[in-house]
Amino acid sequence: LAYDLDFSGACREAEAAEACFRGYRGMEPMLFDEGMLRQLRERAAGWRRMEERAKQLRISACVMVRNEEKNLPLWLDNAARYGDEIVVLDTGSEDDSLALAEAGGARCFTLPWQGDFSLARNALLAHAEGDWVAMLDADETFFEPERLHEFLAEVECRHPEAQGVELVISNVDED
């Protein structure tokens, strides 16, 4: 359960395992012992920390757009499932990208394209207020966006030195 980011389920099962251990009165010897119980309690304490952190951390869903009217509705829907805030930087759209983003609840900003990707990216990042920033293109989404808080909480708890996470992208074309 913990591997699947279900920290509360893992804690519940750990408690049930301890109850079985404490209540065991069978004739066969038990392979589970006090040392294993201590280890299980330590793991459950970690899972509880991860569960609490998942509730607290804030994710900024950020995207830089230019004429992304076609892709933005799906991106906005996906971002709403994990983002505690949605931030859109428009670099000169001539379609309804900005209006779609605003209607989707995004905080929107504009910066005319100046031929410098890093300038635009840094301008977008300057508006993000979350603990973590999910920076995707308008045609990119997460398969299970509702699990991102738990995933990042696990990263923080297991690797407090981590400053970023790189995820594998599956590129699925329209055809």
Side-chain angles (χ1 to χ4, degrees), residues 112-119:
W113 182 247
Q114 298 175 28
D116 186 344
F117 183 81
S118 63
L119 177 75

Side-chain angles (χ1 to χ4, degrees), residues 1-18:
L1 291 167
Y3 179 79
D4 200 35
L5 305 175
D6 181 359
F7 304 126
S8 62
C11 289
R12 191 174 49 253
E13 291 302 318
E15 290 168 3
E18 181 171 354

Side-chain angles (χ1 to χ4, degrees), residues 28-48:
E28 294 292 322
M30 180 180 274
L31 298 177
F32 194 84
D33 61 20
E34 289 290 336
M36 294 170 134
L37 179 60
R38 277 192 303 280
Q39 186 178 36
L40 180 61
R41 285 179 178 163
E42 288 173 14
R43 287 183 182 181
W47 298 330
R48 281 190 282 284

Side-chain angles (χ1 to χ4, degrees), residues 151-168:
F151 173 75
L152 292 172
E154 182 179 38
V155 168
E156 282 187 8
C157 291
R158 292 190 189 277
H159 305 283
E161 75 285 357
Q163 295 181 10
V165 177
E166 183 178 24
L167 300 174
V168 175

Side-chain angles (χ1 to χ4, degrees), residues 75 121 134-143 165-173:
W75 185 90
R121 174 69 52 104
M135 184 74 70
L136 303 175
D137 290 343
D139 63 347
E140 298 171 341
T141 57
F142 289 111
F143 282 119
V165 177
E166 183 178 24
L167 300 174
V168 175
I169 293 177
S170 297
N171 189 354
V172 180
D173 291 333

